[in-house]
Amino acid sequence: MKTNNIRIRLIIIITCMMAFILMPFHGFSVEAPEYTIKSIFIKKIIKYITWPDNSFNSSDNAINLCFVEENEFLDAFDTLKDKSSKDRPIYLKNYWLSSQTCHILFINSKNRKLVESILSKVKNMPVLTIGEMEGFVELGGIINFIKESDKIRFEINIDSAKRSGFTISSHLLKLSKIFREE
């Protein structure tokens, strides 16, 4: 009887170990930590950006954060749900449509033609464009996340920001790589 109990325990332990080893990892997003960091950056960046006066209908209007493409990483931005910044709630909108009012547009696409098309549509509008593609600020985007030595940093196109009417705090500019158009 004692030998059977030991065998059963061994079978259970081996089965659990095999299940753990063979468990698919589709439930864990490798991208999640990176996008969680980016969502935190965006919340912090908002504090150092001043939108043009006509960007909001009232002093308590929400800041609409829109995304161009739906990806699995959008769950990482759930940390911004029910949060506020600058006394304004932050609303997340999964799909960007040209008719939507977006105060921040996270262009989470690496499709250069799509990015160029979107940036041309919002050029000089009070939409804070944020990207994550090499050459984003050269195309007219305002803020671009970049990876350097496994760290996420950002660069800012201050000329594009000025054309869109944004004022960016010197504190934020000190932390970024500045890009100027010639």
Side-chain angles (χ1 to χ4, degrees):
M1 189 70 159
K2 199 172 189 178
T3 314
N4 282 343
N5 284 343
I6 293 173
R7 281 187 187 160
I8 291 172
R9 286 184 184 169
L10 276 174
I11 290 171
I12 291 171
I13 291 171
I14 290 171
T15 303
C16 288
M17 288 175 64
M18 292 300 290
F20 180 76
I21 291 169
L22 298 175
M23 182 172 50
F25 288 97
H26 65 273
F28 301 98
S29 174
V30 175
E31 301 289 325
E34 175 183 337
Y35 285 101
T36 299
I37 292 168
K38 288 178 179 177
S39 72
I40 292 168
F41 268 135
I42 288 174
K43 187 170 188 284
K44 298 282 185 193
I45 285 170
I46 292 170
K47 292 180 180 176
Y48 297 100
I49 300 284
T50 303
W51 269 262
D53 290 337
N54 60 352
S55 301
F56 299 94
N57 293 333
S58 69
S59 62
D60 60 348
N61 272 144
I63 296 172
N64 294 323
L65 169 58
C66 305
F67 301 90
V68 170
E69 294 181 342
E70 185 176 15
N71 289 315
E72 67 279 354
F73 73 82
L74 291 179
D75 291 343
F77 286 83
D78 284 346
T79 57
L80 296 178
K81 282 184 179 173
D82 303 321
K83 301 287 183 195
S84 62
S85 184
K86 298 185 110 175
D87 297 325
R88 297 178 184 277
I90 299 171
Y91 292 157
L92 305 180
K93 299 191 180 259
N94 287 347
Y95 294 103
W96 174 73
L97 301 171
S98 59
S99 61
Q100 278 186 312
T101 302
C102 298
H103 300 102
I104 303 171
L105 180 59
F106 186 49
I107 304 175
N108 50 310
S109 174
K110 294 188 174 41
N111 179 330
R112 189 174 183 91
K113 286 190 176 191
L114 176 64
V115 171
E116 283 179 317
S117 171
I118 293 168
L119 288 174
S120 70
K121 289 177 184 171
V122 297
K123 186 176 183 178
N124 301 333
M125 294 175 62
V127 177
L128 182 68
T129 54
I130 301 176
E132 56 179 0
M133 181 187 86
E134 187 174 325
F136 184 78
V137 291
E138 288 85 349
L139 294 173
I142 297 175
I143 297 176
N144 189 39
F145 288 117
I146 53 176
K147 277 187 172 178
E148 287 184 345
S149 305
D150 294 332
K151 291 185 179 178
I152 297 173
R153 300 192 63 214
F154 52 92
E155 53 190 354
I156 296 177
N157 180 334
I158 56 172
D159 297 319
S160 184
K162 284 180 185 170
R163 275 196 310 275
S164 296
F166 290 102
T167 304
I168 300 176
S169 164
S170 60
H171 298 291
L172 184 63
L173 292 174
K174 284 179 189 172
L175 299 173
S176 69
K177 283 187 164 184
I178 303 294
F179 177 82
R180 291 184 185 270
E181 300 169 356
E182 292 296 324

